[in-house]
Each structure stands twice: as C-alpha cells, then as structure tokens.
Amino acid sequence: MLIQSLAQKTKLAMMTVLAAVTGCALICGFTVWRCLSLVSEERQQIYVLDGDIPFLADRARLEANFLMEAKAHIQLFHQYFFNLPPDNDYIKWTVGKAMYMADGTALKQKQALDENGFYSDIISSSAVCTIMCDSINLDEHERKFTYYGTQLIKRRTRDLKRSMVTTGYIETVPRTQNNPHGLMITGWRTIENKDLDY
C-alpha cells in the first residue's frame, strides 16, 4: 500500500511539474511573439520633432503611393524639360535636372532639339516656353504612362499654343538628391506636338 501510494504521489508530482513547465513555455512563447509584433508595429511609426514636441507620422511604402509619386515625377520632369525662359544658363540647369529623371531617350530628344536650333531660337527671340499638364494616364501594372499637356510659347511678335503628348515607362531606382521620387522615365518619346487654334 505504501509503495503504491508513493508511486501515485510521484506520478502526480511529475504531472504537476510537466504542466507547470508547459504552461511557462506557452506563456514565454506568447510573450516573445507579442513583443516582436509590438516592435514591428513601432518600427512602422516615425516621430517628427517640432521643436521639443514629437508628432507621430506613419511611414508609407513606395508601393502605397506609387501612383501619386509617379505622376508627380512625370509632371516635374516635363516642367524641367519644357519650361524654358530666354536664359541659356537656366535652360542648361533645368534640362540638366530633367536628365537625372529619365534615361538616354530624353537625352536623344534634347540633342535633337539642340541640333534643330530650338534652344538658340528661344534665346534669340526672347521667347518664354511653359507647359501645363492637362492629364497623365498611368497603367500601374505595365508602368506605362501617357502625358497630355499644353505648351505655350510666348514671343514678342505672337504667341503659339501647342498640344503636347508624350509616352514612356516608369522604373524604380534608388532615391537621390537629384531624383527625390526614386523613379526613372524610360523609353520616353513625343507622340504629338502640334499647333492649336485659339
């Protein structure tokens, strides 16, 4: 009887120890999992300081705002490339800025315009070129865009209004100071550039 009673007590003690160890392991595992998920959530948050006051800002991924970033990049590129005053240094600076935002296809168009005397004509006639974006169609899956704009060329003698339609593709590249959106226009070409009637 005594031996049977000791065996039962030992078995009960062993089961209690195993249950306690299993319970502790489960609690520790849940605690570690919850801590890792909280750290991951905190890493998605950014605090911006305004003086000594911290403000919570959500960090967004590029994919979340790709459409907005791509349209802003396309519009900025066209402004740099087509907004031209009669100032040779400024033209070089803006067109140079545009070259950081596109591949060699933009350089080829710039060289073609230069060979045709477009830039020297702007300077000699004191013309001012501006472009206004009408709309940008962007296919997110193919990353192909079509830019619709109106170019206004103001000369001393008369003003010209032209319809401008360009197309190309968008690729993701590392962000730099000269390319803040981290995007690159590739395969860029002008598909329409014609005078409009007033």
Side-chain angles (χ1 to χ4, degrees):
M1 268 325 250
L2 185 62
I3 295 174
Q4 202 174 21
S5 176
L6 282 174
Q8 286 178 350
K9 286 181 181 179
T10 307
K11 197 175 189 180
L12 180 64
M14 194 63 122
M15 287 178 68
T16 305
V17 169
L18 285 174
V21 168
T22 305
C24 288
L26 288 173
I27 290 170
C28 287
F30 176 76
T31 305
V32 168
W33 172 78
R34 187 67 187 133
C35 288
L36 289 174
S37 64
L38 283 172
V39 167
S40 178
E41 286 174 20
E42 284 298 316
R43 285 186 179 164
Q44 297 302 318
Q45 296 178 344
I46 298 172
Y47 290 90
V48 180
L49 290 176
D50 182 16
D52 292 333
I53 303 167
F55 290 99
L56 179 64
D58 289 330
R59 183 169 72 182
R61 291 186 173 87
L62 179 62
E63 296 83 24
N65 345 338
F66 174 73
L67 192 64
M68 181 178 66
E69 291 259 0
K71 285 186 175 183
H73 182 83
I74 294 162
Q75 188 169 354
L76 186 61
F77 167 77
H78 283 80
Q79 286 174 351
Y80 280 142
F81 199 87
F82 292 109
N83 283 353
L84 307 168
D87 181 339
N88 191 42
D89 291 335
Y90 189 79
I91 289 172
K92 285 180 183 176
W93 182 80
T94 58
V95 173
K97 290 285 279 183
M99 293 301 109
Y100 287 110
M101 304 171 79
D103 68 354
T105 54
L107 180 61
K108 286 180 183 175
Q109 286 205 35
K110 182 231 178 238
Q111 289 170 341
L113 289 171
D114 208 10
E115 288 171 8
N116 292 335
F118 178 71
Y119 299 118
S120 57
D121 185 45
I122 288 172
I123 295 164
S124 64
S125 64
S126 296
V128 177
C129 295
T130 54
I131 193 162
M132 293 169 288
C133 179
D134 296 329
S135 66
I136 299 170
N137 290 342
L138 178 63
D139 183 348
E140 287 184 77
H141 302 295
E142 289 186 24
R143 292 191 166 201
K144 183 178 181 179
F145 73 88
T146 306
Y147 174 92
Y148 299 92
T150 305
Q151 187 179 33
L152 188 62
I153 303 173
K154 291 187 175 185
R155 290 192 169 97
R156 284 176 290 190
T157 53
R158 67 185 181 110
D159 295 346
L160 280 175
K161 198 173 185 182
R162 302 181 66 84
S163 168
M164 178 75 65
V165 181
T166 66
T167 187
Y169 295 89
I170 291 286
E171 287 185 11
T172 305
V173 295
R175 292 177 191 257
T176 64
Q177 187 174 357
N178 291 311
N179 189 346
H181 294 110
L183 299 169
M184 178 73 67
I185 293 173
T186 61
W188 184 63
R189 60 190 176 92
T190 303
I191 55 177
E192 181 181 289
N193 186 6
K194 65 178 184 181
D195 291 343
L196 294 174
D197 296 329
Y198 283 96

